[in-house]
Amino acid sequence: MILSDRINTFGQDLLRRHGERVHKIALDAGFTCPNRDGTKGRGGCSFCNNVSFSPDADAHLDLAAQISKARRAIAKRTRARKFIAYFQAYTNTYDKVEALEALYREALNEPDMVGIAVGTRPDCVSSDVLDLLERFRDQGLEVWLELGLQSSFDETLERVNRGHTFAEYRETAKATRRRGIPLCTHLIIGLPGETEEHCHATLDKVLDIGVDGLKLHPLHIVKHTLLAHQWRLGEYLPLMRDEYICMAANLIERTPENIIYHRVTATASRDVLLAPVWCAEKWNVLNGIEFELRQRGTRQGCRAGTPYAKEKLRHAA
Ligand code: SF4
């Protein structure tokens, strides 16, 4: 399977622009989150257990040690010799900008580091942070701001206790794009109370505001979360594998070709994943999405610009 024959993937985009493979190294810099410490909320998003989002990062190690451990692991799997420091766990802009700059520089000063990706919340990006990212970009570094939006529907954001609104996303996304800082937005498929129609409406709003990259993520249920409790009570039912594949393929078809897909599924380690079990097999899902698009004879962008029309899209049986 060659996913990049059908989807504009981040891996291929990096290969084209850097002339060789570039690998992201997920880091846990010991941040917390305003949605956990009481500033915005307590308990965090109903689905959040950060162990599941960045299983490779180890907060007990300093950044240099995390990077060196990741380099050894990557060397066994790929021949990548260039890296992007991915500040992934929790809210990676949640500190004074001086402290952020010191941390980001510490990672960027490691050998073969060609850039930085910073994952955060839409309500936690000050103009000082954007100034800093802009300076890195002006130095010729690969820079990405990754915003967790998940849904454009405020009712859904409230339901999963995100603690921010779509308007806050819009404002931050526009400010980021005005400065020419590449923006990658994270979306979740299968949120409580949402149908496929919600996902397409969210995609349309995000595209309308402007975005450079996207990540699609199936909502999975992991231990020690409110969602796990709701699932046990039968209040939430996760998507089936084929439903997810079909919905992801439909969204990809409606995404313009120039948008870079950084991810079209996500996984969680088996020790924290409760459901759906298919989420544990990332390659199986990636193969499924590629197979679905190949069977349809379609690819990313083939329906870009066309309104969402349920009857025209294929749905899982
Ligand atoms: S904003 Fe991110 S880190 Fe904070 S609780 Fe939600 S998912 Fe977790």
Side-chain angles (χ1 to χ4, degrees):
M1 87 136 196
I2 305 181
L3 199 64
S4 55
D5 284 353
R6 310 243 160 220
I7 301 175
N8 183 10
T9 63
F10 191 41
Q12 280 300 310
D13 175 66
L14 288 169
L15 184 61
R16 260 192 310 270
R17 291 187 293 108
H18 290 267
E20 61 180 291
R21 275 180 169 279
V22 180
H23 212 288
K24 258 170 125 174
I25 294 181
L27 298 171
D28 186 335
F31 287 100
T32 178
C33 170
N35 201 23
R36 288 181 167 274
D37 70 5
T39 305
K40 282 279 174 165
R42 289 215 180 269
C45 305
S46 65
F47 50 79
C48 173
N49 172 346
N50 262 263
V51 175
S52 70
F53 295 151
S54 44
D56 298 332
D58 186 347
H60 302 299
L61 301 175
D62 64 24
L63 287 184
Q66 287 183 46
I67 291 167
S68 132
K69 185 179 165 194
R71 288 169 72 112
R72 286 195 299 277
I74 290 165
K76 286 184 193 155
R77 301 198 310 263
T78 78
R79 277 173 291 172
R81 289 173 308 173
K82 287 184 177 174
F83 306 97
I84 292 173
Y86 179 24
F87 286 82
Q88 182 181 29
Y90 295 97
T91 301
N92 294 276
T93 53
Y94 191 37
D95 206 340
K96 292 201 174 76
V97 74
E98 298 76 18
L100 297 175
E101 178 162 8
L103 264 181
Y104 298 166
R105 284 201 187 280
E106 190 184 330
L108 284 167
N109 286 339
E110 288 292 313
D112 311 313
M113 209 51 88
V114 297
I116 186 170
V118 178
T120 189
R121 296 166 53 86
D123 58 353
C124 207
V125 184
S126 65
S127 57
D128 286 346
V129 168
L130 293 178
D131 287 344
L132 176 60
L133 296 181
E134 206 175 350
R135 287 202 296 279
F136 287 146
R137 190 216 47 203
D138 290 346
Q139 288 165 21
L141 291 163
E142 176 90 28
V143 175
W144 286 88
L145 182 70
E146 301 201 13
L147 289 183
L149 169 64
Q150 323 311 355
S151 168
S152 67
F153 290 86
D154 285 342
E155 311 88 89
T156 306
L157 297 177
E158 200 172 321
R159 187 165 177 169
V160 298
N161 195 34
R162 283 291 296 172
H164 68 77
T165 60
F166 180 64
E168 288 172 298
Y169 167 80
R170 184 192 292 114
E171 198 180 313
T172 302
K174 283 190 169 174
T176 306
R177 300 257 306 159
R178 266 199 302 275
R179 290 162 181 260
I181 299 166
L183 170 67
C184 175
T185 297
H186 298 202
L187 305 176
I188 293 181
I189 301 177
L191 284 163
E194 292 210 343
T195 63
E196 180 167 10
E197 207 160 350
H198 289 87
C199 298
H200 284 274
T202 292
L203 176 71
D204 288 345
K205 288 185 210 166
V206 165
L207 293 175
D208 193 43
I209 289 166
V211 74
D212 304 282
L214 289 172
K215 279 188 178 176
L216 299 181
H217 190 305
L219 184 59
H220 53 224
I221 302 153
V222 291
K223 288 178 184 168
H224 314 303
T225 61
L226 178 62
L227 188 66
H229 180 64
Q230 293 165 337
W231 170 69
R232 283 195 190 96
L233 292 176
E235 292 170 7
Y236 174 72
L237 263 184
L239 292 174
M240 312 275 279
R241 174 186 176 276
D242 289 354
E243 282 178 305
Y244 179 77
I245 287 172
C246 193
M247 286 163 81
N250 288 340
L251 289 163
I252 290 163
E253 286 181 354
R254 292 191 61 252
T255 304
E257 241 180 328
N258 63 314
I259 307 287
I260 299 156
Y261 266 105
H262 291 227
R263 179 192 284 171
V264 292
T265 190
T267 188
S269 59
R270 287 179 198 270
D271 53 331
V272 288
L273 181 68
L274 294 171
V277 285
W278 55 263
C279 272
E281 293 175 356
K282 182 178 91 174
W283 283 102
N284 183 301
V285 180
L286 291 176
N287 284 338
I289 293 171
E290 189 276 340
F291 181 76
E292 177 73 19
L293 291 170
R294 187 154 36 94
Q295 288 283 99
R296 297 181 187 185
T298 62
R299 53 165 292 119
Q300 180 181 337
C302 69
R303 289 186 201 276
T306 60
Y308 169 68
K310 206 170 178 181
E311 69 281 4
K312 287 200 184 142
L313 297 172
R314 300 191 189 198
H315 291 260

